[in-house]
Amino acid sequence: ISIKNPLYYLATEDIFSMGWLSSVIRYLVAPIPIKKQTLDLGAIKSCMQVVKEGGTLAIAPEGNRTFSGRTEYINPAIASLAKKMKLPILLYRIEGGYGVHPRWSDVVRRGKMRAFVSEVIRPEEYKDLSKEELFERIQKGLYVDEANDKNAFQHSKKAEFLERAIYVCPDCGLSTFESNKNEITCKKCGKTVSYDVTTRLQGVGCDFPFEFVSEWYDYQKDYMNNLDVTSDLGEALYREKASLSEVIVYKKKKLINKNAEISLYGNRIIIDEGKNTQIDFAFDEASAVTILGKNKLNIYAGEKIYQLKGGKRLNALKYVHIYNRYKNISGGDENGRFLGI
């Protein structure tokens, strides 16, 4: 609505693998497919073709909606791409979006949000900027931190499915959670936390060290970055059920097993299909493990892409974090902080 010209969105390949529905999306908005968490030269060529034809590109440089309420990792390569396109750069910021509809939630809350162009950077302004300087300006123009209690967001199920974002308890460490309406509970120790209309957290009958989800999320990342996931590779960190499909890129998804047993280890994901059949995804051999939407998981294994989709309470984020923590350790970067999202 804000931009008059037609926009060509860069979009993850997942929306191009939904059969007839993907055909409708292609017809209506002609998005440019990009493979998540990979260097996709084909997508870059498509962008350059759109620019050559006078089109306008729309890119979400984070590549993910935030789970924490704060702008998270942006790949510095966005500055190189922007310089290559040689177009005016419109930095479009969304404020209040996390309060109205957090990524981990299924419901839209009543509350205020706004979306607007925060800055326009013209080619003559950035042509003499270094990539680092342009990247810093892009980051600053897009940054949002919604960890505050300035606004109210009304709904009767404010905390429901927060367990899609949280898997570390400050008392128990790695854990599983279950939410109900405005509360979330650790299934190991029973600690319960409420989520109020201002997005503030509060312990129910107990002290709780975090005021907002972003603080809990930061603690969770710090916990993972100090965890040696290679210390006991014979013991599964998590076991749960999910459907397994193979993604036929830009065509469809082929269901392999709708109720497979998933075991997450510090260095692999093992999927038990039953009848003594297992698929072993070793992290050393997987090129990426990524999260899509609220809790779908893609595993990039060689030339194939597999997708796990569990129940509504599945936390797919922990797979991404554990995979990237293992990659950091095995790659000799034990102090690496980036966990893939």
Side-chain angles (χ1 to χ4, degrees):
I1 294 173
S2 301
I3 311 298
K4 294 181 180 179
N5 298 335
L7 297 175
Y8 290 85
Y9 289 90
L10 263 73
T12 177
E13 81 275 8
D14 190 59
I15 71 166
F16 296 88
S17 306
M18 300 187 296
W20 66 269
L21 184 56
S22 296
S23 299
V24 173
I25 293 172
R26 282 194 188 94
Y27 176 77
L28 291 176
V29 292
I32 300 169
I34 185 168
K35 293 179 181 176
K36 204 167 187 180
Q37 297 289 68
T38 62
L39 178 61
D40 193 337
L41 296 177
I44 295 174
K45 289 180 181 178
S46 296
C47 288
M48 294 178 72
Q49 184 62 37
V50 167
V51 170
K52 187 177 179 181
E53 295 172 1
T56 300
L57 297 169
I59 301 173
E62 283 179 273
N64 283 284
R65 285 178 63 198
T66 174
F67 277 103
S68 68
R70 173 194 300 124
T71 302
E72 296 289 344
Y73 176 79
I74 295 177
N75 192 322
I78 189 64
S80 299
L81 180 62
K83 275 182 167 284
K84 187 179 289 289
M85 298 300 111
K86 299 179 181 178
L87 293 173
I89 301 169
L90 278 67
L91 301 180
Y92 196 80
R93 191 159 70 216
I94 301 172
E95 296 178 354
Y98 183 82
V100 169
H101 192 188
R103 179 173 181 175
W104 42 263
S105 175
D106 279 354
V107 299
V108 177
R109 300 105 195 279
R110 296 194 310 276
K112 292 182 179 180
M113 65 173 286
R114 66 171 184 153
F116 60 99
V117 176
S118 64
E119 185 179 4
V120 178
I121 312 174
R122 302 193 178 279
E124 55 269 25
E125 292 181 66
Y126 67 73
K127 67 180 177 67
D128 294 326
L129 295 178
S130 68
K131 292 175 184 177
E132 293 74 19
E133 289 171 329
L134 178 57
F135 177 61
E136 184 177 346
R137 194 160 168 183
I138 291 171
Q139 279 188 307
K140 185 177 179 180
L142 294 178
Y143 185 77
V144 174
D145 184 355
E146 298 196 11
N148 61 71
D149 57 2
K150 296 177 182 177
N151 299 298
F153 302 95
Q154 302 281 353
H155 201 278
S156 61
K157 298 179 179 179
K158 291 183 287 293
E160 201 149 288
F161 303 128
L162 179 54
E163 61 266 43
R164 292 169 175 168
I166 297 297
Y167 60 87
V168 172
C169 173
D171 290 348
C172 307
L174 294 181
S175 185
T176 54
F177 292 80
E178 186 166 340
S179 61
N180 180 42
K181 294 184 178 179
N182 299 321
E183 297 179 346
I184 182 169
T185 301
C186 173
K187 295 177 74 173
K188 275 189 179 180
C189 68
K191 181 184 285 288
T192 298
V193 179
S194 67
Y195 183 102
D196 73 16
V197 294
T198 66
T199 76
R200 188 182 294 274
L201 302 174
Q202 186 172 354
V204 178
C206 63
D207 292 330
F208 191 67
F210 312 120
E211 193 173 12
F212 296 99
V213 171
S214 58
E215 296 172 14
W216 196 353
Y217 190 82
D218 285 346
Y219 171 83
Q220 180 170 270
K221 289 196 298 183
D222 288 342
Y223 180 94
M224 181 55 61
N225 277 321
N226 287 291
L227 182 67
D228 183 2
V229 295
T230 66
S231 62
D232 186 1
L233 298 178
E235 184 67 28
L237 300 173
Y238 289 93
R239 297 184 189 276
E240 50 203 344
K241 292 185 180 292
S243 68
L244 173 67
S245 300
E246 181 181 350
V247 180
I248 311 301
V249 182
Y250 310 138
K251 292 184 180 179
K252 63 179 181 179
K253 295 168 190 171
K254 182 174 70 176
L255 181 64
I256 298 174
N257 189 306
K258 65 179 180 180
N259 196 34
E261 182 79 35
I262 316 298
S263 299
L264 172 60
Y265 293 81
N267 68 338
R268 66 204 326 106
I269 299 169
I270 295 178
I271 301 175
D272 188 347
E273 297 187 74
K275 298 180 181 178
N276 298 317
T277 303
Q278 285 188 341
I279 302 177
D280 187 339
F281 294 110
F283 291 163
D284 285 324
E285 298 170 8
S287 60
V289 174
T290 65
I291 187 170
L292 299 102
K294 296 174 173 60
N295 64 342
K296 290 188 292 186
L297 191 80
N298 270 15
I299 303 168
Y300 295 77
E303 297 298 316
K304 293 189 175 183
I305 303 173
Y306 295 90
Q307 187 171 104
L308 295 176
K309 187 177 180 181
K312 284 183 173 290
R313 300 188 186 278
L314 175 73
N315 181 304
L317 184 63
K318 63 181 181 282
Y319 289 80
V320 177
H321 283 180
I322 290 171
Y323 167 82
N324 282 280
R325 176 59 178 156
Y326 173 82
K327 286 295 211 181
N328 287 343
I329 293 174
S330 63
D333 188 17
E334 191 167 340
N335 295 319
R337 311 304 291 174
F338 180 52
L339 293 173
I341 184 172

